[in-house]
Amino acid sequence: MTFSIIKTKAQLDSWLKKQKNPIYFVPTMGGLHLGHAELIKAAKKHGSKNSCILVSIFVNPLQFGANEDFEQYPRNLNLDSEIAKGAGANAIWAPSEKDIFQGDKNSLFQINVPPKLQKHLCGSKRKGHFDGVCTIMVKLLSLVKPKVLILGEKDWQQFIILRQLVNALGLQIEVKGIATVRDSNNLALSSRNQYLNSDEYNQALALPRSLQEARKSFKRKGSINIQKLRSDFEKNNLKVDYIQIVDRTTLTPLDQPKSPCLLAAAIYCGRTRLIDHTFLMTRSPIIAIDGPAGAGKSTIAQLFAKKMGLIYLDTGAMYRALTWHIIENQINPNDEKNLLKVLEDFKVDFKSSESSGPQVFVNQKNVTHFIRSPQVTEFVSKISAKFPVREKLTNQQKEFGQQGGIVAEGRDIGTAVFPDAELKIFLTASTSERAKRRALDLKQKGFEVPSLMVLEQQIKERDQADMERDISPLVKAADAKELITDGMKIEVVLDELTKLFREEVPEEMWKV
Ligand code: PAF
């Protein structure tokens, strides 16, 4: 692989013209370390073979305050090139101030970041910093026109602001955040770590250590003690610049931490300013996928759970299992007394094995195949609409979800079961598309296949019944994101879901 070192704008233009693959752009200020290498590696992984990775190095004067470390900031193009090349970048671009500012710094059009995004955290301490970051980023992005912009999540406020900037300007660029990389002592990697002498380095370790303790204590108790955090820092000679708890996407300060939220801190260790953060959560994240019958919810939820290493909670299968149980025991579901008795004895379990995939058990009998029969399909909606059924299974689902870390799908997951899910998706498709999928599914499972017209009619009736029932009707949660999957291949739906998921649940939130 050839590796290019680009300096002038003309060289950049000519290099860009030659590239056949989409550009993955990793902007940096140099002083590259293993954290940057991870960004480059993540770009490579994300784009597989079809990506071209460009790393920029520009120590942006606009983002440094008068008494900050602009002069001292590490500048070593040879070392940076080595690291970028080693991690798999295709080129490094180190523009001159002249190329970026085209003459006079004062004639540059500037970006003003909305006050609500920079009023807190670093923005309140480093006046004009984020205006400077955004001004330069717009310039870099307009010159490179990348497909994907790769940013470290370590500077969480910068990440959120840049993501919103790209959205607000309608740039067709995917913004991908990469989790903070830490050294073996858990200190977040930063170009500024090289300013620390060995005593200072040891003191600085209190920053991640105390944040992690606060995270653990929040998970246990649902609250944290900021005073304790402050005194932990001070005991280690760290001067607190700020400690703040904010909403993780709007960056608005929270009086009471509400799971999940961001706990961020900046401290001075000697003369070096370091930042770090953690996410406060009482449980791991939950992804709720709702939508009408036949939208592909169970296929997608299952594959997505596998891809993300989450537990798949198939609530639809729970209702199907109960319906099967009622049919099997010849219970009249309108006979309340008998229904309650059946519910008392009913226990559904999920087991998963590499060879057979997820299996559903009712009172220890494997019913995975039976619950997909047309007879169950016919009755499941009516049975699910019964109040005691709903109550029993919703409670079981909530229990399954107590620790989080699950993908659950159904019709009322985002509204009734997990109203506080971190990501809510409403997965849907047109009736004709769903009828086609249903026909294929029945055929594959060896059941008789009715005509598409009949299937469409059944689907419409089922939608109607699901939407009109009194208890937990099928409804899109106000904060759900709609995904219409007509004509989309499964892999495309999964990619789309992954993108939406990452916007709400950064990698770091995962590691509770
Ligand atoms: O995070 C950085 O290195 C810089 O703030 C960035 C994004 C390259 C803009 O100068």
Side-chain angles (χ1 to χ4, degrees):
M1 188 188 76
T2 56
F3 178 79
S4 314
I5 298 182
I6 304 165
K7 291 200 172 143
T8 65
K9 174 160 183 323
Q11 283 169 355
L12 176 73
D13 289 343
S14 114
W15 181 84
L16 283 171
K17 244 191 226 141
K18 281 190 238 138
Q19 304 314 312
K20 302 221 166 34
N21 290 323
I23 306 291
Y24 281 62
F25 182 41
V26 184
T28 81
M29 295 210 300
L32 298 196
H33 47 67
L34 288 177
H36 295 109
E38 280 308 311
L39 301 184
I40 297 167
K41 285 183 195 157
K44 218 172 163 61
K45 198 163 151 212
H46 186 266
S48 62
K49 284 193 199 79
N50 307 321
S51 61
C52 179
I53 303 164
L54 176 68
V55 177
S56 72
I57 296 196
F58 183 65
V59 187
N60 168 24
L62 301 184
Q63 68 187 75
F64 287 83
N67 299 320
E68 293 185 0
D69 55 342
F70 176 67
E71 295 300 337
Q72 196 194 350
Y73 206 82
R75 290 166 173 84
N76 188 337
L77 188 57
N78 287 340
L79 193 60
D80 287 344
S81 304
E82 290 281 300
I83 294 176
K85 188 177 170 192
N90 299 71
I92 203 161
W93 168 43
S96 64
E97 283 199 15
K98 195 165 130 271
D99 260 345
I100 293 295
F101 298 121
Q102 287 167 336
D104 181 3
K105 241 183 267 175
N106 298 321
S107 36
L108 195 73
F109 283 90
Q110 306 253 357
I111 298 281
N112 283 320
V113 175
K116 65 175 184 196
L117 287 175
Q118 56 169 334
K119 216 162 61 192
H120 309 289
L121 309 172
C122 290
S124 69
K125 301 287 172 178
R126 304 181 72 190
K127 297 273 178 261
H129 168 74
F130 290 113
D131 292 347
V133 170
C134 289
T135 298
I136 246 48
M137 278 306 297
V138 166
K139 184 79 199 183
L140 298 178
L141 291 175
S142 71
L143 292 174
V144 176
K145 298 187 186 62
K147 175 174 183 257
V148 182
L149 169 64
I150 307 277
L151 295 169
E153 287 173 2
K154 175 175 166 275
D155 293 334
W156 183 258
Q157 187 172 21
Q158 167 174 285
F159 170 65
I160 292 291
I161 291 176
L162 288 177
R163 193 167 79 181
Q164 293 205 20
L165 174 77
V166 167
N167 270 339
L169 298 184
L171 305 176
Q172 298 298 311
I173 298 173
E174 184 190 334
V175 179
K176 195 169 157 49
I178 307 298
T180 308
V181 182
R182 298 175 182 277
D183 70 10
S184 57
N185 293 313
N186 242 354
L187 187 68
L189 297 187
S190 158
S191 311
R192 293 189 166 100
N193 291 357
Q194 53 181 282
Y195 301 155
L196 302 170
N197 64 33
S198 72
D199 284 346
E200 287 170 341
Y201 174 84
N202 285 327
Q203 290 159 3
L205 298 182
L207 176 60
R209 192 171 58 231
S210 300
L211 288 175
Q212 281 318 307
E213 278 164 16
R215 178 182 167 111
K216 281 190 199 134
S217 138
F218 184 79
K219 191 173 179 215
R220 274 197 320 273
K221 299 193 261 173
S223 63
I224 73 156
N225 183 342
I226 296 273
Q227 269 326 315
K228 180 179 176 308
L229 198 56
R230 180 178 291 274
S231 71
D232 283 352
F233 290 153
E234 286 167 357
K235 262 188 258 159
N236 286 283
N237 277 336
L238 304 179
K239 189 167 151 266
V240 175
D241 196 22
Y242 68 75
I243 303 175
Q244 258 174 20
I245 297 174
V246 298
D247 180 279
R248 71 195 195 283
T249 38
T250 62
L251 306 179
T252 319
L254 302 172
D255 292 336
Q256 291 300 323
K258 186 176 169 291
S259 174
C261 60
L262 181 86
L263 167 65
I267 50 92
Y268 281 94
C269 183
R271 296 183 55 201
T272 307
R273 186 174 180 279
L274 299 174
I275 57 171
D276 201 355
H277 66 261
T278 187
F279 293 95
L280 301 179
M281 291 178 285
T282 43
R283 55 152 178 74
S284 298
I286 291 179
I287 294 90
I289 304 181
D290 287 308
K297 295 186 302 291
S298 53
T299 314
I300 293 298
Q302 218 165 305
L303 290 171
F304 187 66
K306 197 163 175 210
K307 177 171 174 186
M308 292 292 161
L310 299 162
I311 298 163
Y312 165 55
L313 179 60
D314 185 353
T315 61
M318 292 169 79
Y319 287 104
R320 282 177 171 273
L322 180 64
T323 305
W324 172 83
H325 188 62
I326 288 171
I327 298 172
E328 186 72 3
N329 289 292
Q330 298 179 352
I331 306 289
N332 173 1
N334 295 325
D335 173 350
E336 180 120 343
K337 214 171 122 216
N338 265 331
L339 180 65
L340 287 175
K341 206 168 155 328
V342 162
L343 282 177
E344 230 171 73
D345 300 336
F346 174 77
K347 189 165 172 351
V348 61
D349 278 312
F350 294 96
K351 286 182 194 146
S352 199
S353 75
E354 273 296 313
S355 53
S356 51
Q359 305 285 302
V360 187
F361 291 78
V362 169
N363 301 346
Q364 283 161 29
K365 179 181 165 73
N366 190 334
V367 296
T368 315
H369 180 72
F370 309 129
I371 64 167
R372 303 284 163 197
S373 74
Q375 207 192 3
V376 170
T377 304
E378 196 184 328
F379 288 109
V380 63
S381 181
K382 285 195 195 88
I383 292 189
S384 320
K386 305 247 168 244
F387 179 73
V389 169
R390 223 61 223 176
E391 198 183 28
K392 165 97 182 180
L393 292 193
T394 302
N395 284 340
Q396 265 195 26
Q397 289 155 17
K398 286 187 174 161
E399 254 168 56
F400 277 129
Q402 246 159 29
Q403 298 302 314
I406 59 172
V407 182
E409 56 98 3
R411 289 189 179 67
D412 59 354
I413 306 295
T415 46
V417 187
F418 301 124
D420 58 354
E422 278 68 18
L423 176 65
K424 295 180 191 175
I425 297 289
F426 194 76
L427 196 76
T428 184
S430 65
T431 341
S432 58
E433 173 92 13
R434 285 188 279 149
K436 277 188 234 148
R437 291 183 194 167
R438 180 93 190 114
L440 194 69
D441 189 43
L442 286 171
K443 195 171 155 206
Q444 278 167 356
K445 293 205 168 88
F447 294 117
E448 201 182 310
V449 186
S451 74
L452 283 179
M453 231 169 69
V454 169
L455 283 174
E456 268 197 50
Q457 192 52 35
Q458 282 176 0
I459 287 174
K460 278 189 193 145
E461 282 166 15
R462 172 107 194 250
D463 284 356
Q464 191 87 4
D466 283 346
M467 284 187 301
E468 286 177 358
R469 69 183 179 214
D470 293 334
I471 299 158
S472 306
L474 165 65
V475 56
K476 184 179 153 205
D479 50 352
K481 303 201 165 136
E482 188 166 270
L483 204 56
I484 303 169
T485 62
D486 279 42
M488 271 164 104
K489 286 210 175 97
I490 289 182
E491 305 80 72
V492 181
V493 180
L494 277 177
D495 281 352
E496 204 47 45
L497 198 56
T498 310
K499 251 187 244 167
L500 294 172
F501 174 70
R502 277 283 166 246
E503 274 172 24
E504 296 303 323
V505 182
E507 273 176 54
E508 286 169 34
M509 263 176 70
W510 227 213
K511 304 170 194 154
V512 208

